[in-house]
Structure formats: C-alpha cells, structure tokens
Amino acid sequence: MAAEQARRADVSAWRPRVPGVVEVFHAHFTEYAYPMHVHDAWTLLIVDDGAVRYDLDRHEHGTPLDTVTLLPPHVPHNGSPATPDGFRKRVVYLDTSHLGEELIGAAVDGPDLRDPVLRRRVGQLHSALGRPGDELEAESRLTLVGERLRGHLSRRAAPRARRDPALARQLRELLDARVVTGVSLEEAARLLHAHPAHLVRAFSGAYGIAPHQYLMSRRVGRARRLLLDGVPPGEVAPVAGFYDQAHLTRHFKKLVGITPGRYRARSARWAS
C-alpha cells in the first residue's frame, strides 16, 4: 500500500536562495486532481511526462510537452491528469519582482506558451535550482526566462478587463487581511454593508471561486512557506489559520496532493 501511494504521489519541494523564487515544486501524480484554488505568486509550469488539463478563468486549457504554462496570481485554477498515466511536472513559483501584476490580464488570456527556446530555458533553470551552490547560475537563467515571458505578454493586445466589482474586491482585501484570524460571513457582511448571500454571489461571480475556497488557498500557501522555513508540521496549523493539525492536513492534502509531514520531509535536505 505504501509503495502504491508513493507511486501515485511523488513530490519534492524547496525554496532555493534565489531572489524572487517563492518555491520550487516537482511532482508526479497519476490520479490526483487539484480542486479550484489560487496562489499569491506566479506559477511557471512545464510538464515532462503526460499532460494536465485545467480551467483558468472559466476556460479549459491543456499542457502538452512542448508548452510552458504561466498561471497568474489571484486567478483561480484547478488541474487533473489528461492521460491514463498521470503527469510529471516541474513548477517554480515567482513573486512579482520578475513579473508584475500588470501582466495578469495578458496571462489569463493566453497562459500556454509554445516557445521551444523558453521551454529549454525553463528546464535549464530547474536544473540550476536543483543544485545548491549554483544560485548565481539560477539567477542568471531566471533573468533570461523572465525577459522572454515579459516579451510574450507585452506583445499581446491590451488585456481585457476582469470582472472585479467593488464589493468582490473589498471582500478579497478583507480575506487577505484576515488569512490567519479568519472572518465569518456574518461579520464580513456587516463590515461591507451587504447581505451575506449577495456577498458570496458577488465574489464567486468576479473570481470564479467561493470565498471559503479562496481563504483556504491562502492558508495552505502560508503553510507551505512555513514548512519550507523549517517550522515543524505540528506547529504550522495555528500560525497558518487552521483549527488544528487535522484541519491543516485535510486541506493541505486536498490542495497539494500530499500531507504536510511528507511535504516537509521532501524539502528537509534543502533546509540547511
């Protein structure tokens, strides 16, 4: 049973000493499917085996082997295997120092880039990120990758306006400010002077994800960073906003594909 579980979810995660890199995440999943969720960082993804299908901003996409996928922050997406044997992927999460938020709209309109040079450079970036001591090479390669990504996005037509009405934006800002402490729907409705049902409809209509799903995504993201910082899994739950360890484990496994303990163990060799 353990061997079968390992075959279905083989994951490595770490944070290299490279400015702008939030996390590196390598995974092989055969059956696991990501539910709708968000990140507060850019997701730069390549698939080495198999393929992934996903929805972004209510549109279906796929990731064949020759594609580089760039998913923008704050925009909900999911993911599932598009082939019987699952998929093997390499991901680097980037903050906005390399790609600004002004490029989000262009990335939403076309997240999958068929560019052999970019695909090769992203692979070289991952190789450098996987070698402690080669941070200067990784920084150099990341600079070239960022330059090419910005070139793709800036050549596109002006990005279309996203559905972001004032009420939905206000609720998102409130959730961002209360990632750890949380906020009840009743309190949010009182603070924003709106009926609870209208608040949920406005948020879901603007962002394609329910408020509670958005909040849990942000909490899992915080938990990932804490684990990569070396915080033991048993201490992560309260400082990431979860009720207890079981609450953390349930949502972490749902969004990342493995438990916090396994995630932390796979990153331990990079913590020194």
Side-chain angles (χ1 to χ4, degrees):
M1 178 64 69
E4 177 66 12
Q5 290 176 340
R7 185 184 71 83
R8 292 183 178 181
D10 183 12
V11 169
S12 296
W14 69 95
R15 181 188 295 124
R17 298 182 180 91
V18 176
V21 176
V22 177
E23 179 184 338
V24 182
F25 185 75
H26 293 180
H28 178 207
F29 293 119
T30 56
E31 298 178 358
Y32 175 68
Y34 290 94
M36 293 298 292
H37 64 288
V38 298
H39 296 288
D40 58 1
W42 289 87
T43 302
L44 182 61
L45 163 71
I46 57 175
V47 174
D48 295 311
D49 292 299
V52 182
R53 69 149 308 277
Y54 67 94
D55 299 302
L56 178 74
D57 199 43
R58 301 176 176 84
H59 292 85
E60 184 174 338
H61 298 274
T63 59
L65 295 181
D66 60 348
T67 298
V68 174
T69 297
L70 181 66
L71 305 178
H74 313 308
V75 181
H77 62 275
N78 56 12
S80 60
T83 59
D85 294 327
F87 59 88
R88 187 182 301 276
K89 68 176 183 176
R90 288 180 286 172
V91 184
V92 57
Y93 295 98
L94 303 172
D95 66 22
T96 54
S97 63
H98 287 282
L99 296 169
E101 293 194 356
E102 72 278 1
L103 299 173
I104 287 178
V108 168
D109 285 342
D112 300 313
L113 307 171
R114 291 193 171 182
D115 178 343
V117 173
L118 177 62
R119 177 65 171 76
R120 183 175 68 253
R121 288 181 177 176
V122 173
Q124 292 169 336
L125 170 63
H126 277 279
S127 296
L129 290 170
R131 298 189 299 264
D134 284 351
E135 286 79 13
L136 180 58
E137 178 186 347
E139 285 186 62
S140 301
R141 295 194 180 282
L142 179 56
T143 297
L144 295 176
V145 167
E147 180 181 61
R148 199 163 183 93
L149 287 171
R150 286 190 297 273
H152 276 288
L153 299 180
S154 63
R155 284 194 297 269
R156 294 176 179 169
R160 56 186 169 84
R162 297 197 65 240
R163 295 176 297 275
D164 192 18
L167 183 60
R169 183 173 64 255
Q170 289 168 2
L171 179 54
R172 195 184 86 176
E173 291 171 351
L174 179 60
L175 294 174
D176 288 341
R178 300 277 195 94
V179 169
V180 176
T181 58
V183 61
S184 69
L185 185 59
E186 180 181 357
E187 181 185 4
R190 184 173 66 253
L191 291 172
L192 300 179
H193 309 290
H195 189 278
H198 179 54
L199 203 56
V200 172
R201 285 195 297 268
F203 191 92
S204 301
Y207 301 119
I209 191 172
H212 71 275
Q213 292 176 302
Y214 179 86
L215 181 62
M216 283 303 169
S217 297
R218 294 299 313 277
R219 286 176 171 172
V220 168
R222 179 175 174 83
R224 292 172 76 151
R225 290 191 290 271
L226 290 167
L227 291 166
L228 292 179
D229 284 341
V231 180
E235 299 176 15
V236 167
V239 292
F242 293 93
Y243 178 75
D244 56 18
Q245 182 67 20
H247 190 214
L248 165 64
T249 298
R250 182 169 69 253
H251 287 282
F252 195 96
K253 188 174 182 180
K254 183 178 181 180
L255 289 180
V256 184
I258 59 173
T259 65
R262 285 188 62 199
Y263 179 90
R264 177 67 187 92
R266 296 302 179 91
S267 66
R269 69 189 180 98
W270 300 93
S272 60

